[in-house]
């Protein structure tokens, strides 16, 4: 049966408005505190959305020379016909998904191992050491690993490989300039930098586990490995799924970590959508077409929105009806 809509009288409407105004006045301090955030969101999140209209023009930033001309879907047709665009799109998905799986997997393993450390002081020292790389700038990280992986006698890795006889001193590997080695090196650098920080979430889950379960398992004859497999890991399962789902919604936002590590020699392997947009806008060698780059950015945003909505539905199934948006 359809629920009948109840019409309010003029007097009831007036009372309702008065009640709302009174509530707003009572909590006016909270509204004042919220105002800067609201203004920030309007200026930096919603106002720039007007730029979406550029995706349907051939605007190049110089109105006096070439005014905005509406071209419809021409930029999107050009985008879908560009092999470089599809290469960047595939690289974005591949790099982001593999990085997500590896980082989450290693974070789980390290969290379980940290949880097994008996000495509280030693555990805190280890946690601090593995957290520190997260706070380093990607520019600093890129400079550091460029030195470590340099194809010269100053490069730590190449020098070590030469000393153990794996390489010849005249045939050193340029890891960051090789299409074969760039992605594996990128994944290793990300593991070193971000894995420790992700363990915070899993360690928080493990700290809430009931120790009685471990004691009961010990009485039943379970060893440490069996306790980890049958108690610790299942306790983390829901958190692992939640972390994967939440991070999957952000896989299209990949720029800084890739940009600082790539070079012209590995663009076919390392170029992702964000860097593709950057090079098209600022490093194409010709007058940039901001309409085209806006079209690529709009496509990326649409794909990201689809991923967010899909992850929200997955989250509702995993987290008992609770979504992420």
């Amino acid at each position: 049966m359809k629920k009948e809509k109840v019409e309010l009288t003029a007097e009831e409407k007036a009372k309702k408005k008065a009640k709302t105004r009174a509530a707003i006045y009572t909590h006016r301090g909270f509204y004042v505190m919220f105002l800067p955030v609201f203004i920030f969101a309007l200026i930096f999140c919603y106002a720039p959305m007007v730029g979406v209209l550029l995706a349907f023009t051939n605007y190049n930033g110089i109105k006096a020379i070439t005014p905005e001309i509406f071209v419809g879907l021409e930029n999107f047709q050009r985008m879908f016909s560009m092999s470089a665009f599809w290469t960047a799109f595939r690289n974005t998905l591949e790099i982001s998904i593999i990085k997500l799986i590896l980082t989450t997997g290693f974070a789980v393993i390290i969290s379980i191992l940290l949880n097994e450390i008996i000495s509280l002081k030693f555990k805190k020292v280890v946690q601090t050491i593995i957290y520190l790389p997260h706070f380093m700038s990607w520019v600093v990280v890129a400079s550091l690993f460029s030195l470590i992986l340099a194809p010269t006698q100053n490069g730590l890795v190449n020098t070590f490989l030469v000393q153990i006889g794996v390489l010849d001193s005249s045939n050193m590997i340029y890891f960051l300039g090789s299409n074969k080695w760039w992605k594996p090196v990128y994944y290793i650098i990300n593991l070193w930098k971000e894995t420790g920080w992700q363990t915070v979430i899993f360690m928080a889950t493990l700290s809430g586990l009931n120790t009685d379960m471990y004691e009961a398992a010990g009485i039943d004859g379970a060893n440490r490995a069996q306790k980890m497999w049958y108690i610790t890991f299942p306790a983390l399962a829901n958190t692992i799924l939640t972390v994967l789902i939440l991070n999957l919604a952000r896989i299209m936002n990949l720029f800084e970590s890739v940009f600082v590590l790539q070079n012209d020699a590995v663009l076919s392997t390392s170029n992702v959508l964000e860097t593709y947009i950057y090079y098209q806008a600022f490093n194409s060698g010709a007058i940039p077409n901001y309409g085209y780059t806006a079209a690529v950015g709009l496509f990326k945003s649409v794909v990201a929105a689809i991923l967010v909505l899909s992850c929200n539905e997955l989250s509702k199934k995993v987290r008992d009806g609770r979504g992420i948006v």
Side-chain angles (χ1 to χ4, degrees), residues 261-279:
L261 291 170
Q262 68 180 191
N263 53 69
D264 291 341
V266 291
L267 276 184
S268 61
T269 301
S270 65
N271 207 17
V272 295
L273 283 180
E274 294 266 355
T275 57
Y276 175 75
I277 293 171
Y278 174 84
Y279 289 127

Side-chain angles (χ1 to χ4, degrees), residues 75 93-94 128 131 147 180 198 218 237 239 243 245 264 275 320:
N75 288 324
L93 294 178
E94 180 185 344
T128 302
Y131 291 167
L147 292 173
K180 176 183 177 181
Q198 283 205 21
T239 305
V243 169
I245 290 171
D264 291 341
T275 57
D320 300 323

Side-chain angles (χ1 to χ4, degrees), residues 163-183:
Q163 289 179 350
I164 64 175
V166 175
L167 292 179
D168 186 78
S169 58
S170 61
N171 192 28
M172 294 185 177
I173 301 173
Y174 183 18
F175 290 98
L176 293 177
S178 167
N179 285 312
K180 176 183 177 181
W181 289 105
W182 190 90
K183 284 181 181 178

Side-chain angles (χ1 to χ4, degrees), residues 53-233:
L53 298 175
L54 293 178
F56 305 95
T57 70
N58 68 347
Y59 178 62
N60 62 10
I62 313 175
K63 282 190 176 182
I65 299 176
T66 308
E68 295 180 27
I69 299 176
F70 181 78
V71 295
L73 299 177
E74 183 178 308
N75 288 324
F76 294 93
Q77 292 173 348
R78 174 190 170 191
M79 176 180 68
F80 292 134
S81 65
M82 297 280 284
S83 60
F85 164 77
W86 288 113
T87 300
F89 182 64
R90 286 194 301 271
N91 287 339
T92 302
L93 294 178
E94 180 185 344
I95 293 173
S96 297
I97 293 173
I98 293 177
K99 183 184 77 167
L100 172 60
I101 294 171
L102 288 176
T103 306
T104 305
F106 272 81
V108 171
I109 294 171
I110 291 175
S111 298
I112 293 174
L113 294 177
L114 284 173
N115 190 58
E116 295 299 314
I117 297 176
I118 299 174
S119 173
L120 185 59
K121 287 185 178 179
F122 182 64
K123 181 188 292 188
K124 288 183 177 180
V125 170
V126 175
Q127 284 179 311
T128 302
I129 292 172
I130 63 175
Y131 291 167
L132 286 177
H134 171 77
F135 299 99
M136 295 178 65
S137 164
W138 268 110
V139 176
V140 175
V141 172
S143 301
L144 176 64
F145 277 92
S146 294
L147 292 173
I148 293 174
L149 300 171
T152 63
Q153 292 182 350
N154 296 324
L156 181 63
V157 175
N158 275 291
T159 301
F160 174 73
L161 293 176
V162 169
Q163 289 179 350
I164 64 175
V166 175
L167 292 179
D168 186 78
S169 58
S170 61
N171 192 28
M172 294 185 177
I173 301 173
Y174 183 18
F175 290 98
L176 293 177
S178 167
N179 285 312
K180 176 183 177 181
W181 289 105
W182 190 90
K183 284 181 181 178
V185 168
Y186 176 81
Y187 298 139
I188 292 171
I189 294 174
N190 269 273
L191 287 175
W192 174 80
K193 187 177 188 301
E194 301 296 344
T195 299
W197 182 249
Q198 283 205 21
T199 60
V200 174
I201 301 172
F202 301 114
M203 288 298 294
T205 302
L206 292 175
S207 64
L209 281 179
N210 188 351
T211 55
D212 292 343
M213 291 189 295
Y214 290 101
E215 293 176 4
I219 293 172
D220 290 337
N223 56 34
R224 178 169 288 189
Q226 289 172 327
K227 291 177 184 178
M228 290 170 60
W229 182 255
Y230 292 106
I231 298 176
T232 308
F233 188 74

